[in-house]
Structures are given as structure tokens and as C-alpha cells.
Amino acid sequence: MNSTTSRASRGAAAPASTSFLDRYFDITGRGSTLGTEIRGGIVTFVTMAYIVILNPIILSTPDVDGVTLPGTAVATSTALTAGVMTILFGLVTRLPFAFAAGLGINAFLAFSVVGQVTWGEAMALVVINGLIIVLLAATGLRKMIFDAVPVQLKLAITVGIGLFIAFIGFVNAGFVTTTGNASPPLDLGVGGSITTISTVMFIVTLFLSGILMALRVKGALLIGLVGGTVISYIVNAIWPTALGLKVSGLQIVALPDFGLVGRIDFGFDWAKVGIVSVVMIVFTLVFSNFFDAMGTMTGLAKESGLANDKGDFPRIRSALIVEGVGAIAGGATSSSSATVFVESGSGIGEGARTGLANVVTGVLFLLAMFFTPLTSIVPGYVAAAALVLVGALMLAQIKNIDLSDFSVLLPVFLTATVMPLTYSIANGIGAGFISWVVVNVFARKAKQVHWLLWVVAVGFVIYFARGPIEALIGA
């Protein structure tokens, strides 16, 4: 008996419900209980709470004008957006899929976009990205496009983003450093050796979190972040000059800082960034947001037994529209695009089957706004360990790709390797799409290449040649 049949049987046998919550969320009909939904919502929050700490660290990169986003304000915006969007998604779709700032999209903004535009302009592009996604979802085009792109490329993008995020973590921790030479360009630590206590603490946090995850401990990543931070401050107390952490004036609770809400800027300085670059940045944002969210929602729906054989699930169009609204909300609050988190699977594993679990998770995120000073306590090298672990989790998707066909292997390989090696998600996606079209066409598989792939490939050819094109337009 499959999960859907089992759930239907449980629902049929259950007595008629009189509770408003039960009727609205169909708790009994989905084979769940009020207590199970509350427990599932709490577990989801615990496994996702690390994003309130990690997102401000990722978004700490100076923009083109040298301006950085204040950490506590980013943490407040991250918790606020996660809370509001998680509750909204639960109420509208009645599904247990929680929201928060998407890893991968925030890395793209921090390490690829703000080198060309300001943070206000970058977040305006995130809003534009969200508006496009809402339009595509409302018209039904989003699902059509999702179905047109080969599943191998979708998974390769996830794998590539994982490698990129992990590489960022290694660099931020000083585990990997630049040599300044043409060959080799990179090295382990300094001169091939680990020489700093901070890098050692990165390794300690990495193994601590990794062991907890291997043991399937709920909230392993959050516990690892807290544990690595505590150990760092103990080491700092014994050897103050080794880590240089400040222990005076530390706060735990404070009023939320809403200073970044509404701080977006649509007045782009075209002298600094060309129109082709802006178009391709938006395209990459849409593409990353687009497929990551749909893939995650499909996986979570299957895990919860709410999806049919085609992968469709209840209120799918509403779910896709609200997910686009998450991008708009994330941009408007300068916390990066808010999207569905795969960690929602932990709550589903606890039995959550309805949007009530989302309401619980969302309320806890709103409460987390009052604890944002804790984000400044976490050392960067500890957060770097979390990046590596998140990257490892995303890399696991490669197991679902059949690499026996070289016309699949090469595009997947280029997508996954070009991202970290060029420090650009856009470059990896472009290399993957262009190579997919070229290799499959000349391998006599042109009929298998959807016309949308041609459009995307041509767009990326223009993106890669944007320098000469912009020079020609300027002339």
C-alpha cells in the first residue's frame, strides 16, 4: 500500500472533525494530528535556524562602492522574511514547506553580483526576479519551462552550486589560499600547511557537525555552529591572541533592526554595469530560483506522500506563485530571495503533513528576530564549516544523474566545475546549457533538444561575449 492510499484510508476511518484548524488544514484527512504538526514545525525550525546566522555572513561582502550590509539588520530581515513567508505559504497552500533565504542565490549575489552593482541595486534585481517568477507561475509557463529542461541539467546546477558554496567555505576559513602564482594558483593553508588556530577551529567545527549529521541528529548543523562557537571562545579565553575574539559587550537579546527593509534601488548606474550584464544577472537569478524551488517542492511533496505519479501536488500553482512572492519579499528586505528549504523534510519526517506546521515554524522565526545579536558572536571560520557541509549535501544530488552517456556527462561536468573555478553560478549554468545543445546536436540528438534550450544557450553566448557587444553598442 502506498503512502497516498494509506493516508486516504486513515482519513476515511477518522471521525468527522469539528476543529477549525482541522477543517482548514485537513489535518485528520492527511493522517496527522495537532500535536504532530506542532512537533514537526518545531523540528523544521531547529534544522533551519542556522540560516539566521549564516545569511548575514554570506551577505557581508562589500559591494561595488565598498558598502557592506550591517549583520544584525540582515539577520532581522532574514528571520522576518522567513517567518512571514513560511506562515503565508502554510496558510495559502496548506503544505508543510518552510521558507528562508536561499543558499546559492545569496552566494551568487555576494560573490558575483555586488562586484558590479550596489547592494540596493542587487536587491532590486532580486525583486524583479520575483516579479518575473510570479508572472510565469500565474500563467502556467513556469511548469512548462521546468518540464522542458533536462533533469540532468537541473541536478547539475544543484551540484555545481554545492561545490561553489563549499569552495567559498574553504577559502573563507583559510583552508584553501591563493599562492599568487600562475601554477599552482591555490594551496592548502599557507605553503601547503595549516598554520592558524582559526583554520584548526574550522576543521573541528566541520568534523563536529559532520559527525552529528552522520548520526542523523536533528538540528545537527545548528548544534555544530553553536558547538564550534563555544569551543572557539574557550580557546580564546586560554589563548587570546590566537583568535582575537571579543568577549566584552556581547548581547543575546535586542530589539529587531528593520533598517534594511525597503532599502532597494532601481536607479542603476549604467556607466558601471552594462544592460547585457543586468539582463543576464536577472536571468541567472530567475533560473536559479526557478529550478531550485520547483525541484525542492517536488521532492518534499513526494517525501510527504502528497504528490501524484507525475510529481504534482495540491495547490501547485498557488505554491509556485507564493514562492515567487518570497523572492520579492527577500529582495525588499535585503535578505536575498526567500525560497522553499529542503530542511523542511526534517519536519515532514516527524509527521508534519499540513501548513499548520509552517505556521509554527514561521512564528518561531519571528521570535528569532529578538535574538539576532547572537549572529555577531559566531566566528567566520565556524560559519565557513557550515558552508562546506551545505555544499556536501547539495553534491549528493549527483547520485540521481546517469552519467553513462557522454552527451550528458560533459554538460554536467562543465556545469558543476565551471561554477567554483570561475566563482560564478551564471558561468556554470551557461557552460552547461551551451555544451548540452552543441554536443547533443552534433551527436545526432537534435530532436531531443527543446527549443527553449536553444534560446537559453544563445542568451548565454551573448552573455559570455558581452564585453565586445557592449563596446560595439557604445561605439
Side-chain angles (χ1 to χ4, degrees), residues 45-46 69 115 117 123 206 251 295 308 323 356 454:
F45 171 76
V46 170
L69 298 177
V117 299
M123 293 305 173
L206 182 66
Q251 285 183 285
N308 60 23
E323 197 279 328
L356 180 58
W454 282 95

Side-chain angles (χ1 to χ4, degrees), residues 364-417:
L364 291 174
F365 266 118
L366 295 179
L367 291 175
M369 291 192 298
F370 295 90
F371 297 90
T372 53
L374 290 172
T375 60
S376 63
I377 297 175
V378 180
Y381 50 82
V382 169
L387 289 177
V388 173
L389 291 165
V390 170
L393 290 172
M394 298 177 77
L395 177 65
Q397 290 297 324
I398 200 168
K399 68 182 180 183
N400 298 314
I401 307 176
D402 183 358
L403 300 175
S404 59
D405 185 346
F406 198 80
S407 62
V408 172
L409 174 59
L410 182 60
V412 168
F413 173 77
L414 290 176
T415 301
T417 56

